[in-house]
Amino acid sequence: EYVMTQANCEGKAKVDDAVGMAAYTMDSHNCQRIVIEKDGMAMVKNEGDVEIGGFPPYAISYRSLVPRRNECTNLLVPVCLSASHIAYGSIRMEPVFMVLAQSAAMAAVQSIDQGKPVQDIDVRNLQTKLQDNPLADGSTPELLVDNDITPDKVNRSGRWQELKGGIAQLGGSYGRSFLLSDSTDASSSVRFMFPEGIKGKYRLYYYNAGNPANKAAQYEMAVQLGAAEVRLAVTTSSNHYDWLPVGQFEFGGSGQAWLEISRLGQSGAIFADAVLLVPVAAQVLPVKL
């Protein structure tokens, strides 16, 4: 029903029926080795190797997992899905197959329960189930707030630029871009909004996009836990592009909650990108027999 191509991998073509994501470089290993003679010397060279990368995660269409309706109506294919050769060179990773297999299994259940062809299931409903119950065990899912993925949940104050990720001199990013404040704007801040009524214990992480202009950037972070507020100072390193732990917090289930990033004694630029909430599993006590 749909063929994934290089345009999907590079974000030039987007789909609205995504049931998984991939992120690996588009590559195809060399086809053969040949001997080249030059200036009386012989050397062996690989031929046919292709590697095209530098792009963030991208969505995989549900329609690429199902055949055309006139061919078959009860088949889902999470591994040998429809893709061009170069696109499949990126999709072909085991974690991607695992994600698509889970999505295909849930789609199969929906198809069987409703007595519908796999082409006719409610993909929106499938997406909601995958998002609300990603581990398929009823556990509380992680919560991600990112300027690309959930732009309506990222509120800016002051002057900010949106820069594309993967720029060597600026560091990496989570998703396609990150935010950079005006170095002369002392009032710059970004607020990452969490779901209203969030309840329970979570470990909070902040994605450091890097700050090569200032070797150690200082941020003031304010975590609003509904009625209570926690303020703390965080120093980040320019050569570490990864999730940085902020702390463990308990949300009471009432009022609005957020993480706000602002300048703390910092004259240079500050960055804002993404925030991740990881639920802390309830302690399981041993059962006395």
Side-chain angles (χ1 to χ4, degrees):
E1 293 275 321
Y2 186 88
V3 178
M4 297 291 296
T5 68
Q6 180 173 345
N8 294 106
C9 300
E10 295 180 334
K12 298 174 182 176
K14 298 182 180 181
V15 297
D16 59 5
D17 61 341
V19 289
M21 301 188 80
Y24 194 67
T25 295
M26 290 180 287
D27 74 348
S28 179
H29 292 203
N30 44 278
C31 304
Q32 63 180 348
R33 289 190 172 97
I34 59 175
V35 177
I36 302 293
E37 293 189 15
K38 185 178 181 181
D39 300 328
M41 299 287 291
M43 65 176 65
V44 177
K45 288 192 173 183
N46 293 332
E47 185 177 66
D49 184 76
V50 177
E51 292 187 13
I52 303 174
F55 46 82
Y58 58 90
I60 298 176
S61 168
Y62 173 74
R63 288 167 292 159
S64 68
L65 277 61
V66 300
R68 290 174 178 164
R69 188 184 303 269
N70 62 350
E71 296 175 342
C72 187
T73 59
N74 64 346
L75 178 67
L76 289 145
V77 187
V79 173
C80 299
L81 71 162
S82 295
S84 66
H85 179 77
I86 191 69
Y88 195 78
S90 170
I91 295 170
R92 61 173 182 85
M93 293 289 107
E94 286 84 351
V96 179
F97 293 157
M98 294 176 188
V99 169
L100 296 180
Q102 178 180 335
S103 302
M106 295 180 68
V109 170
Q110 191 171 321
S111 173
I112 293 169
D113 288 347
Q114 298 176 1
K116 292 182 176 180
V118 292
Q119 292 86 354
D120 291 341
I121 70 160
D122 186 343
V123 179
R124 297 289 186 192
N125 179 265
L126 174 61
Q127 290 172 322
T128 299
K129 289 182 177 179
L130 291 169
Q131 182 174 348
D132 294 344
N133 190 17
L135 300 183
D137 62 358
S139 61
T140 303
E142 297 178 353
L143 297 171
L144 172 71
V145 186
D146 174 70
N147 65 294
D148 291 306
I149 301 171
T150 57
D152 58 320
K153 302 297 183 183
V154 180
N155 301 331
R156 314 177 200 179
S157 176
R159 295 188 293 272
W160 293 84
Q161 302 177 58
E162 189 170 277
L163 299 175
K164 297 297 181 182
I167 304 173
Q169 64 268 30
L170 291 174
S173 69
Y174 185 89
R176 297 186 176 278
S177 68
F178 57 93
L179 303 175
L180 171 65
S181 77
D182 189 313
S183 60
T184 62
D185 185 5
S187 64
S188 296
S189 66
V190 171
R191 183 171 291 184
F192 295 87
M193 308 299 296
F194 303 146
E196 192 168 355
I198 183 174
K199 187 176 182 179
K201 293 182 180 179
Y202 288 84
R203 289 189 297 273
L204 183 57
Y205 296 87
Y206 165 73
Y207 192 82
N208 175 36
N211 192 349
N214 301 284
K215 295 302 180 183
Q218 292 181 307
Y219 301 93
E220 183 176 56
M221 293 188 178
V223 183
Q224 186 72 30
L225 309 172
E229 181 184 74
V230 177
R231 304 192 77 86
L232 47 125
V234 176
T235 300
T236 64
S237 171
S238 64
N239 58 5
H240 189 71
Y241 313 135
D242 205 348
W243 292 106
L244 304 179
V246 177
Q248 182 172 305
F249 304 91
E250 184 167 3
F251 298 87
S254 61
Q256 187 57 265
W258 64 75
L259 169 74
E260 184 176 85
I261 298 172
S262 57
R263 195 181 306 278
L264 177 64
Q266 179 70 17
S267 59
I270 61 173
F271 291 68
D273 194 350
V275 170
L276 182 68
L277 285 168
V278 179
V280 178
Q283 182 180 7
V284 179
L285 300 178
V287 177
K288 291 184 179 180
L289 301 177

